[in-house]
Amino acid sequence: MKVAVLDINGKDTGRKADLSKDVFAIEPNNHAVYLDVKQYLANQRQGTHKSKERGEISGSTRKIKKQKGTGTARAGSIKSGIFKGGGRMFGPRPRNYSFKLNKNVKRLARKSALSIKAGEKSIVVLEDFNFDTVKTKNFTAVLKALNLENKKSLFVLGGANNNVYLSSRNLKSSEVIMSSEISTYKILNANQVVLLEGALAGIETNLSK
């Protein structure tokens, strides 16, 4: 699968990048994608929600009225969940939402996500670049050249590049990650995935196992 390589000015360099069919042109597995996205979102949850139950409310423990003869329902504790100021019944408790997902399923999900984006023509290959200094306007100029100013974009680098990463950090609609950090959710959440040439080998190596 051949894709034109662009420079940071959005111009065709005349070179072609060869994207592996085993990574970028498979039949997408929607259930694997669903599971991987579900796990990613579950891992974002803190799970620290908590409400007080009747045993944790401070208040009197005496029986609030006699058992029989009042004509109303029997009641023992003022801390019962049926009374104002009482504990909450079946309220949330702290819990861990994460769950295990097999590596092969996660790998299949990421290949499926990349194949979906490739099928939508939403993958761009960019030649490797760097900035001399950390400036947001440098990164904004790249977005303008690629017509990505008003789109969610995901830039995938081959390795750590502090100047490029810090230059993009103020922009909400753009994210810069390394090829080792790629995830199904991030791929699908972006309108356009921009792969740097140096990232292709790492992506294909990690996902072709």
Side-chain angles (χ1 to χ4, degrees):
M1 184 176 173
K2 301 284 187 181
V3 177
V5 178
L6 306 181
D7 61 18
I8 58 172
N9 298 313
K11 306 293 184 184
D12 192 339
T13 60
R15 300 197 312 278
K16 298 279 187 183
D18 192 11
L19 302 183
S20 171
K21 289 184 179 179
D22 295 332
V23 175
F24 294 92
I26 69 165
E27 181 67 32
N29 186 311
N30 292 330
H31 190 62
V33 170
Y34 159 75
L35 289 174
D36 201 15
V37 170
K38 181 181 178 182
Q39 187 196 48
Y40 178 89
L41 294 176
N43 289 341
Q44 306 305 303
R45 300 187 69 172
Q46 287 186 324
T48 53
H49 39 47
K50 178 72 175 77
S51 64
K52 287 188 177 182
E53 299 179 5
R54 60 185 292 169
E56 299 165 313
I57 297 288
S58 60
S60 173
T61 56
R62 82 175 175 89
K63 186 171 174 63
I64 60 176
K65 61 183 179 181
K66 63 182 184 177
Q67 179 77 349
K68 301 173 75 68
T70 62
T72 58
R74 56 195 172 185
S77 173
I78 195 68
K79 297 187 283 185
S80 170
I82 64 175
F83 296 122
K84 182 180 177 182
R88 182 170 174 186
M89 292 183 282
F90 307 113
R93 295 177 174 180
R95 57 164 290 195
N96 180 10
Y97 284 92
S98 64
F99 60 93
K100 182 181 181 298
L101 199 59
N102 290 337
K103 286 183 180 179
N104 286 339
V105 175
K106 293 168 76 73
R107 198 174 290 128
L108 175 60
R110 287 165 191 171
K111 289 194 286 189
S112 296
L114 287 169
S115 297
I116 290 169
K117 286 297 179 184
E120 295 172 349
K121 308 294 184 188
S122 297
I123 289 181
V124 173
V125 178
L126 202 63
E127 67 178 1
D128 294 323
F129 67 94
N130 192 13
F131 298 139
D132 296 329
T133 55
V134 176
K135 282 190 181 292
T136 304
K137 69 178 182 182
N138 289 344
F139 196 83
T140 306
V142 175
L143 292 178
K144 277 186 180 179
L146 298 174
N147 295 319
L148 298 177
E149 300 164 87
N150 302 314
K151 294 181 181 178
K152 280 186 183 177
S153 57
L154 178 68
F155 281 72
V156 184
L157 311 181
N161 189 323
N162 218 33
N163 285 356
V164 174
Y165 169 71
L166 293 175
S167 296
S168 71
R169 203 165 52 169
N170 280 342
L171 303 172
K172 288 184 179 179
S173 62
S174 226
E175 186 175 5
V176 172
I177 61 173
M178 292 188 292
S179 59
S180 58
E181 299 169 329
I182 203 164
S183 75
T184 304
Y185 177 83
K186 289 181 178 180
I187 294 167
L188 295 177
N189 190 44
N191 298 124
Q192 196 81 18
V193 178
V194 181
L195 305 176
L196 269 65
E197 277 188 290
L200 294 177
I203 291 171
E204 291 176 2
T205 301
N206 291 337
L207 298 182
S208 295
K209 292 176 182 176

